[in-house]
Amino acid sequence: MDGEAAIALAAIRDRIGSARHRFGGPPAAVELVAVSKTFGEDAIAPFLQAGQRLFGENRVQEAKDKWPGLRERYPDIELHLIGPLQTNKAREAVALFDVIETLDRDKLAGVLASEMDRAGRSLPCFVQVNIGGEPQKAGIAPEDAVDFVRRCRSEHRLNVVGLMCIPPDGVPAGPYFAQLAMLGRRAGVEHLSMGMSGDFEVAIAMGATHVRVGSALFGHRPRLATPNL
Ligand SMILES: *Cc1c(COP(=O)(O)O)cnc(C)c1O
């Protein structure tokens, strides 16, 4: 099992490296966010042993059950929240996570800002953009994204470092990634979190700085575990 994790990790890092090399230009680095949702501590531990430190989880409660124990053993873990956040979970999210990737509305921005003040932590945030304008998906509308980033920074005093998106299923993702990159430039953010197991190389071609890879590392999940996709 430990060997398998190291091999899976090396294979994905290799593909990230060659995509960067092939498509050239910025960014100088692409971070691998290993998406460990639905997998338990036993499945995650080999990836930590193989050197991975950056992980993504989509549910506050699940992260609370899994990560405090792992953090005791590996204090340099960086945990990203990549699933929708309800304001009544903001306090727990600020305590558990290091980066929030799913900031998508003013009410949440206000609550996160006051919870960060209260906890004395200023977490970097990504604004999630509903890049395909899909009614069932979270995220700010593309046409409101630049203004929302500005408000998060100036009114809510949040540290917005990037944009994040989950493009529509079943159609080529490239144009959506390109659109997110354009919005990122207009909003003046440094990072783009885009690309998953099936399309992270395309995302890197379009300028991703963070790719969120789950099943290509950990194997398949039961479908019901991913309602936000
Ligand atoms: C589950 C999930 C991923 C990873 O998806 P895979 O296809 O398994 O790589 C990435 N981003 C978000 C927001 C997710 O919920």
Side-chain angles (χ1 to χ4, degrees):
M1 181 65 207
D2 296 19
E4 279 172 41
I7 289 165
L9 203 50
I12 297 297
R13 285 187 182 150
D14 212 55
R15 285 172 59 188
I16 290 173
S18 30
R20 270 184 52 213
H21 188 70
R22 196 148 27 109
F23 301 116
V30 176
E31 302 277 351
L32 170 61
V33 182
V35 177
S36 48
K37 65 189 185 194
T38 78
F39 291 94
E41 288 184 45
D42 291 351
I44 297 169
F47 287 88
L48 286 159
Q49 276 150 29
Q52 179 68 22
R53 289 295 180 273
L54 176 49
F55 292 86
E57 287 283 346
N58 69 336
R59 287 167 183 278
V60 173
Q61 185 57 50
E62 187 184 336
K64 197 176 163 186
D65 294 339
K66 276 154 53 172
W67 285 95
L70 292 167
R71 272 198 205 269
E72 272 179 29
R73 284 188 273 153
Y74 297 93
D76 55 342
I77 281 168
E78 183 178 315
L79 196 57
H80 288 212
L81 176 64
I82 61 168
L85 179 58
Q86 293 166 333
T87 49
N88 63 2
K89 299 265 175 70
R91 183 168 300 177
E92 282 179 304
V94 166
L96 278 164
F97 289 91
D98 303 295
V99 174
I100 307 290
E101 292 205 19
T102 50
L103 174 60
D104 66 354
R105 57 201 190 277
D106 282 284
K107 186 178 177 207
L108 179 60
V111 173
L112 274 174
S114 58
E115 291 300 341
M116 287 184 201
D117 274 351
R118 188 178 178 278
R121 307 190 75 197
S122 171
L123 307 191
C125 298
F126 288 69
V127 164
Q128 182 175 359
V129 181
N130 186 355
I131 201 73
E134 298 174 280
Q136 80 281 14
K137 267 192 192 144
I140 188 101
E143 59 272 25
D144 298 333
V146 172
D147 221 43
F148 181 60
V149 169
R150 189 193 48 73
R151 281 201 306 282
C152 285
R153 286 172 159 167
S154 63
E155 290 172 28
H156 303 294
R157 307 264 157 215
L158 288 169
N159 179 21
V160 179
V161 298
L163 303 182
M164 177 272 212
C165 77
I166 307 170
D169 273 338
V171 291
Y176 295 100
F177 294 150
Q179 199 194 345
L180 193 77
M182 203 122 75
L183 288 174
R185 277 198 296 277
R186 283 177 44 209
V189 298
E190 196 184 344
H191 297 301
L192 299 170
S193 173
M194 55 190 196
M196 316 197 304
S197 291
D199 55 20
F200 66 86
E201 284 138 322
V202 179
I204 290 169
M206 298 299 165
T209 63
H210 292 69
V211 293
R212 309 179 308 269
V213 177
S215 47
L217 287 171
F218 289 93
H220 287 290
R221 297 177 298 269
R223 177 74 193 159
L224 65 91
T226 60
N228 60 318
L229 293 185

